[in-house]
Amino acid sequence: MSHPFDTLTPDLVLDAVESTGFISDARVLALNSYENRVYQVGIEDETPIVAKFYRPGRWSNESILEEHQFSKELADREIPVVAPFERDGKTLFEHAGFRFALFPRRGGRAPEPGNLDQLYRLGQLLGRMHAVSASRPFEHRETLNAQHFGHESLATLLEGNFVPKSLLPAYESVARDLLKRVDDVFARTDFQPIRLHGDCHPGNILARDDAFHLVDLDDCRMGPSVQDIWMMLAGERHERLGQLSELVDGYSEFHDFAPRELPLIEALRALRLMHYSAWLARRWDDPAFPMSFPWFGTERYWGDQVLILREQMSALQEEPLKLF
């Protein structure tokens, strides 16, 4: 069976970019992206730009435009985020059935894991972002919660028969036990959802010349502020405590941090683990996924997932991280 992205040829990409008024030099380079299709496109006598073609059927136009407005709002407040180009008052374009947006190219590398100086400055950046994002809610973007990221993920995996029969009882049992614990943590934790980056891991932050840029707001949504913080933490518990302290010290210069959200960290990690497997399952009809993730569906993968979810259950039973 064909997939909509099968028709997204280099010629179509160039035609789409030029339909907005840019003149290409016919150079197209596919960038590393699976959810959408992203290309670097050469522009005559100018710096190349980045063209992002949205996955058909995933977001409504209103949701995409809300992402663009959020990034523009941040950029207008001089928060370093890669916002889309505006052409004739528009940021979302359509060509040959594809919706797409164009962005300036930004270079850089991911922050160094555990670098406390960088974490302090990243905390400042996240605090500045949340000071803006807490000012009003999204209207068209979904909310990060246990139902969507956890229970619906498990339903996708079970109903689609993605888990090998030999491991199905073990996986279903640990997943349901884990979700009960996650539900309990969310029920006991008081937090005010705000607009989030949503997928704020080091790969979506570019470091260059002692400056950081936030990229890829495709997963922006409502949720607890700690969602944009916990993926910066790595290593053993004592290391994560030190990293958290640096992040929050920087964050608190620009926005109040809510320590009451800290018990959510391991619950959010559990949801991310389950959502990742369900994301692969939901995208399996896209030929790029079986080629890039050939191990998905193997007994080894699902055996590892059983162990990982059991370890996550243990993490949820430990005392939450605390500030010094």
Side-chain angles (χ1 to χ4, degrees):
M1 294 179 64
S2 62
H3 189 272
F5 278 140
D6 291 344
T7 64
L8 190 57
T9 63
D11 284 343
L12 192 152
V13 170
L14 292 174
D15 288 344
V17 170
E18 294 194 339
S19 73
T20 68
F22 284 101
I23 304 300
S24 78
D25 62 11
R27 291 181 298 166
V28 179
L29 175 65
L31 302 180
N32 187 26
S33 177
Y34 297 105
E35 183 61 19
N36 304 297
R37 294 294 188 269
V38 183
Y39 303 89
Q40 178 178 292
V41 179
I43 302 299
E44 281 193 1
D45 302 321
E46 294 184 32
T47 302
I49 63 174
V50 173
K52 173 182 175 180
F53 290 79
Y54 288 90
R55 178 173 290 274
R58 185 188 181 209
W59 294 121
S60 66
N61 286 353
E62 292 81 5
S63 294
I64 295 173
L65 289 172
E66 201 160 43
E67 170 205 338
H68 294 179
Q69 178 57 39
F70 183 38
S71 61
K72 183 179 185 301
E73 187 178 349
L74 295 173
D76 287 346
R77 298 287 291 271
E78 298 185 346
I79 296 169
V81 60
V82 181
F85 286 117
E86 186 173 313
R87 310 286 281 183
D88 298 325
K90 296 173 57 179
T91 56
L92 180 62
F93 310 97
E94 186 170 346
H95 182 79
F98 289 101
R99 295 170 299 169
F100 68 99
L102 306 174
F103 298 82
R105 184 185 67 174
R106 290 286 185 271
R109 62 187 184 281
E112 299 173 19
N115 184 311
L116 297 184
D117 179 61
Q118 285 194 343
L119 286 170
Y120 179 83
R121 289 183 288 126
L122 283 170
Q124 291 177 313
L125 174 58
L126 295 175
R128 291 176 62 201
M129 178 178 69
H130 285 180
V132 175
S133 61
S135 63
R136 59 188 179 90
F138 284 134
E139 295 181 3
H140 302 285
R141 288 261 160 176
E142 61 192 21
T143 297
L144 171 56
N145 55 40
Q147 176 60 33
H148 177 62
F149 268 62
H151 293 279
E152 291 180 14
S153 293
L154 180 58
T156 292
L157 297 171
L158 298 182
E159 294 169 7
N161 297 317
F162 289 98
V163 185
K165 290 184 179 180
S166 61
L167 293 166
L168 180 59
Y171 183 83
E172 183 174 4
S173 175
V174 68
R176 293 196 184 283
D177 288 345
L178 186 62
L179 286 174
K180 288 179 183 178
R181 180 64 177 167
V182 169
D183 287 337
D184 180 59
V185 173
F186 268 82
R188 290 187 289 104
T189 305
D190 179 32
F191 67 92
Q192 181 63 45
I194 66 170
R195 290 180 293 173
L196 302 171
H197 180 290
D199 193 26
C200 199
H201 58 77
N204 279 335
I205 298 175
L206 297 179
R208 185 175 184 180
D209 299 329
D210 294 325
F212 298 106
H213 277 86
L214 294 166
V215 299
D216 195 6
L217 271 70
D218 193 64
D219 286 303
C220 63
R221 64 191 71 238
M222 299 293 293
S225 58
V226 75
Q227 167 66 10
D228 280 347
I229 293 174
W230 74 264
M231 280 182 274
M232 297 292 134
L233 307 177
E236 300 297 326
R237 181 182 175 88
H238 70 277
E239 295 174 302
R240 288 182 281 127
L241 285 169
Q243 295 163 14
L244 177 64
S245 179
E246 290 297 320
L247 278 167
V248 172
D249 282 350
Y251 184 97
S252 299
E253 290 187 14
F254 298 94
H255 191 62
D256 290 336
F257 179 76
R260 64 181 179 275
E261 292 188 9
L262 291 175
L264 289 171
I265 289 178
E266 294 304 332
L268 291 166
R269 191 191 308 274
L271 292 179
R272 186 173 178 84
L273 289 169
M274 296 188 65
H275 184 262
Y276 178 74
S277 292
W279 173 67
L280 292 174
R282 291 166 180 151
R283 300 293 181 257
W284 208 241
D285 65 333
D286 182 339
F289 278 71
M291 288 190 298
S292 301
F293 308 98
W295 34 260
F296 181 70
T298 65
E299 290 204 354
R300 179 173 181 177
Y301 173 78
W302 289 103
D304 288 344
Q305 289 303 300
V306 170
L307 294 176
I308 289 170
L309 295 189
R310 285 174 178 166
E311 291 172 356
Q312 193 57 32
M313 175 66 82
S314 297
L316 275 165
Q317 294 170 346
E318 294 177 0
E319 183 181 7
L321 295 179
K322 293 183 178 180
L323 298 174
F324 292 150

